[in-house]
Amino acid sequence: MTTAPDRAAPEPTVLALGLPDTVRDPDLPARVRIHEVGARDGLQNESGLVPVEVKAEFIARLAAAGLRTVEATSFVHPKWVPQLADAEELMPRLAELPARYPGLRLPVLVPNERGLNRALAHHAGEIAVFASATETFAQRNLNRSADEAMAMFRPVVERATAAGVPVRGYLSMCFGDPWEGPVPIAQVVRHGVTLLEMGCTELSLGDTIGVATPGQVKALIDEFTRSGVPVDRIAVHFHDTYGQALANTLAALRSGVTIVDSSAGGLGGCPYAKSATGNLATEDLVWMLHGLGIETGIDLAALADTSGWMARHLGRPSPSRTVRALLGPTA
């Protein structure tokens, strides 16, 4: 005899039901490392200052959810990014996290040698530099030409490497520039190869204003590999301005990329390009990856709870569709 369903019983959550259902694609990587940027890139564009203790708890919650690369802050001049002026206060609050979560990496962004000095004084284990593939954005963001910026980064990378500190190279405006329009692939590859040749261990290709499409992503990654760059040194960083971030990520995965940048709750933008909207939400990315049978090591429920918690601190709903689906539309 079939028992009638209890109509008063609450509907189970999709995660409790074992969703998303896993369908493994053998042509995709078995594991992806997510480079979480919410605490730095995600918060840097917030107009209201987020207290340092909230930032520290945010990072601790992200680590507890299983993220093992969490970009913590930036050692830039407070005049340029006031939200991150508390880097010296934040770093000591994170000091015990790597012992609590083995394998946890907490890289920080530095703009120049002064920023490197500050980062090393606070025992940063990894750093990142932020270059541009276009001239206009380099002038607006770094107040110098793209090549002059590379010259500025070279001693930073060399000194960090000599100190045993790995350096990640960000390259922005790889797929389109709000002032220059389409960016030639050869131009992107030239600047990216320069960052790697000076000693960067990893190169993150940024779609800063979110205009990339999957064919463009494949073409750029293919050109890097033809230029001798191993695909395991390439990361991708997509913004979701036109709703293409997940499609672009899938194109990158099919090209062999295994490192993807994302931001918890879809936080972020760019203070120097008004057309840059939020980053790819980490929860949306994890939902897709888990459905594809790709390991991430991340507890999606805990991550969504963390983003909902941060959204309440910011006083607005999370932009992430997965967070809203799991926690409700006001999360």
Side-chain angles (χ1 to χ4, degrees), residues 79-104:
K79 172 184 175 183
W80 299 114
V81 187
Q83 184 66 253
L84 304 181
D86 56 5
E88 271 92 358
E89 293 180 70
L90 178 64
M91 293 299 284
R93 295 170 186 256
L94 309 179
E96 52 81 32
L97 289 181
R100 195 192 312 175
Y101 302 105
L104 178 63

Side-chain angles (χ1 to χ4, degrees), residues 49-308:
L49 292 180
V50 179
V52 67
E53 59 270 16
V54 172
K55 294 176 184 174
E57 185 171 350
F58 185 38
I59 293 168
R61 283 172 174 253
L62 292 170
L67 285 151
R68 287 298 173 265
T69 306
V70 182
E71 200 161 277
T73 188
S74 177
F75 284 92
V76 297
H77 195 287
K79 172 184 175 183
W80 299 114
V81 187
Q83 184 66 253
L84 304 181
D86 56 5
E88 271 92 358
E89 293 180 70
L90 178 64
M91 293 299 284
R93 295 170 186 256
L94 309 179
E96 52 81 32
L97 289 181
R100 195 192 312 175
Y101 302 105
L104 178 63
R105 302 159 60 178
L106 298 168
V108 299
L109 190 71
V110 303
N112 50 36
E113 287 195 88
R114 290 190 300 276
L116 175 64
N117 291 339
R118 293 169 61 202
L120 293 179
H122 285 274
H123 310 290
E126 296 184 39
I127 68 163
V129 295
F130 192 88
S132 173
T134 66
E135 290 299 320
T136 307
F137 190 65
Q139 290 288 352
R140 287 174 175 263
N141 187 32
L142 301 166
N143 202 30
R144 62 198 71 215
S145 73
D147 287 337
E148 288 170 342
M150 292 293 181
M152 177 179 69
F153 294 139
R154 188 172 295 278
V156 174
V157 176
E158 290 174 350
R159 282 186 53 205
T161 301
V165 176
V167 184
R168 172 183 241 225
Y170 280 104
L171 191 62
S172 61
M173 299 297 176
C174 291
F175 300 93
D177 179 285
W179 301 278
E180 299 181 18
V183 184
I185 285 179
Q187 180 175 314
V188 178
V189 171
R190 179 172 72 86
H191 289 302
V193 168
T194 298
L195 285 168
L196 292 169
E197 287 180 342
M198 71 173 65
C200 290
T201 58
E202 186 172 293
L203 175 67
S204 176
L205 304 175
D207 181 20
T208 314
I209 59 173
V211 295
T213 55
Q216 190 181 12
V217 171
K218 180 181 185 304
L220 180 59
I221 294 170
D222 286 351
E223 189 59 32
F224 267 104
T225 57
R226 276 193 293 269
S227 299
V229 176
V231 74
D232 62 2
R233 297 182 68 184
I234 295 174
V236 288
H237 184 120
F238 294 118
H239 286 230
D240 206 30
T241 314
Y242 295 92
Q244 301 296 295
L246 281 176
N248 290 333
T249 299
L250 186 56
L253 297 178
R254 293 200 182 285
S255 294
V257 169
T258 59
I259 309 164
V260 181
D261 298 1
S262 62
S263 175
L267 296 173
C270 176
Y272 302 103
K274 295 187 185 301
S275 49
T277 57
N279 290 292
L280 169 61
T282 306
E283 296 82 5
D284 298 356
L285 172 62
V286 170
W287 180 273
M288 182 183 80
L289 295 177
H290 285 184
L292 290 166
I294 297 174
E295 289 185 45
T296 65
I298 293 170
D299 181 332
L300 181 54
L303 178 60
D305 284 343
T306 294
S307 290

